[in-house]
Amino acid sequence: AGWQVHVAGLLDVLPDSTARALKDVVERTRDCATGAHLTLAIGYGGRQEIIDAVRDLLTEAGAAGTSLADLAASLTPQDITAHLYTVGRPDPDLVIRTSGEQRMSNFLLWQSAYSELYFCEAYWPAFREIDFLRALRSYAARKRRFGS
């Protein structure tokens, strides 16, 4: 496989057989060294992810004896990133939003800060290879500015 597959969110919202199949593909692609990543968001909410990250950060700081004042004074974006569901994975270069909607829909809110966005009319179940290739062509024609 040319992609390293990841899951962000909660697999326990799926039937056991589906969750098991997804865990298996994540494990089978773990050592893929192409640098290409595919993250499937299942039972996922970006706001909840940020809440969980902050909660984990506060719990970790408390366990280390760090005061809230010291944590507040030293807090960096990297501190939050280190507690996200996607820790250790690159932020997405491209986010494809299907179904004609032109909104983020609570998806990778932190990680997509500098992502390029592509909107298409196809609904996810009907999203075809040609739709994916169009998104890649659009992305390739863009000049990345990373927030500047």
Side-chain angles (χ1 to χ4, degrees), residues 80-101:
I80 302 291
T81 299
H83 291 86
L84 295 172
Y85 301 157
T86 56
V87 64
R89 295 178 224 149
D91 288 343
D93 294 307
L94 174 65
V95 174
I96 301 170
R97 178 60 164 108
T98 59
S99 75
E101 297 287 344

Side-chain angles (χ1 to χ4, degrees), residues 13 16 48 55 58-59 71 84 89 97 99 106 134 145:
V13 300
D16 288 343
Q48 187 62 48
R55 184 179 292 123
L58 291 171
T59 301
L71 179 59
L84 295 172
R89 295 178 224 149
R97 178 60 164 108
S99 75
N106 199 21
R134 285 180 183 134
R145 293 188 306 273

Side-chain angles (χ1 to χ4, degrees), residues 43-143:
Y44 169 87
R47 287 181 174 182
Q48 187 62 48
E49 178 182 26
I50 293 169
I51 289 168
D52 289 346
V54 170
R55 184 179 292 123
D56 290 348
L57 177 61
L58 291 171
T59 301
E60 181 181 275
T66 305
S67 73
L68 287 178
D70 288 344
L71 179 59
S74 66
L75 188 63
T76 67
Q78 292 77 19
D79 294 327
I80 302 291
T81 299
H83 291 86
L84 295 172
Y85 301 157
T86 56
V87 64
R89 295 178 224 149
D91 288 343
D93 294 307
L94 174 65
V95 174
I96 301 170
R97 178 60 164 108
T98 59
S99 75
E101 297 287 344
Q102 293 191 12
R103 56 191 171 91
M104 292 301 298
S105 298
N106 199 21
F107 181 72
L108 295 178
L109 299 176
W110 184 274
Q111 300 89 328
S112 63
Y114 300 114
S115 301
E116 294 293 321
L117 306 176
Y118 179 81
F119 303 100
C120 71
E121 294 296 321
Y123 284 87
W124 172 246
F127 189 79
R128 303 163 298 170
E129 181 179 359
I130 189 70
D131 299 311
F132 183 61
L133 293 174
R134 285 180 183 134
L136 292 180
R137 188 171 40 249
S138 171
Y139 172 77
R142 299 177 187 190
K143 180 181 177 207

